Amino acid sequence: MDKQETPHKHPLAETFERVWSQALLAVSTAEEEAARTVQRVAGLAGWSPEEMIRQARLLTERLAGQRKDLEHNVEEGVRRALVHFKIPRRDEIQDVEARLSRLAERIEALGQRK
């Protein structure tokens, strides 16, 4: 078969990636809607271009702060959820690999003695 096999992700990781993507899409959609709303309000309120820019800047700053808070809350929630799982760190995996290599070398050396 010429088909390349892609490594299968853990179902939990796939779920978190999907939820994160959906959250970012929702935030982006809300930001776009907010921009359209500012345009409509500016037209109805009769704001000057300078006032519209000022109001848009204020709204953008508030949305950016809220988006940062949302991202932090999602990341913190994921971190808290993952605490319950024993997922080895990279250095722990490397230590196990090194131990296995040393054991393989010892076994090979013992096999050559006989």
Side-chain angles (χ1 to χ4, degrees):
M1 285 183 194
D2 290 344
K3 218 179 198 183
Q4 285 184 337
E5 289 189 29
T6 56
H8 182 65
K9 291 182 182 179
H10 190 278
L12 184 60
E14 289 176 351
T15 301
F16 281 127
E17 285 180 11
R18 188 174 59 251
V19 168
W20 182 250
S21 294
Q22 290 172 349
L24 290 179
L25 177 64
V27 169
S28 294
T29 302
E31 288 174 341
E32 290 169 6
E33 183 60 32
R36 286 192 294 271
T37 301
V38 166
Q39 290 288 345
R40 279 182 274 175
V41 169
L44 292 172
W47 288 343
S48 68
E50 293 81 20
E51 179 63 17
M52 189 176 97
I53 290 170
R54 188 180 79 76
Q55 292 295 329
R57 191 171 294 137
L58 288 172
L59 180 61
T60 300
E61 289 171 4
R62 287 183 60 199
L63 285 172
Q66 291 173 354
R67 181 179 189 146
K68 190 174 184 177
D69 289 344
L70 174 65
E71 288 175 357
H72 172 76
N73 291 339
V74 169
E75 289 173 359
E76 185 64 22
V78 168
R79 188 193 61 75
R80 280 194 314 265
L82 291 177
V83 165
H84 300 291
F85 299 99
K86 177 59 179 152
I87 300 172
R89 296 185 319 259
R90 180 174 297 156
D91 61 332
E92 292 173 328
I93 292 171
Q94 290 171 342
D95 287 345
V96 169
E97 288 174 342
R99 288 175 56 199
L100 286 172
S101 292
R102 288 192 305 270
L103 283 172
E105 290 171 6
R106 286 176 59 192
I107 290 169
E108 189 175 319
L110 287 173
Q112 290 176 356
R113 278 192 205 168
K114 292 185 178 188

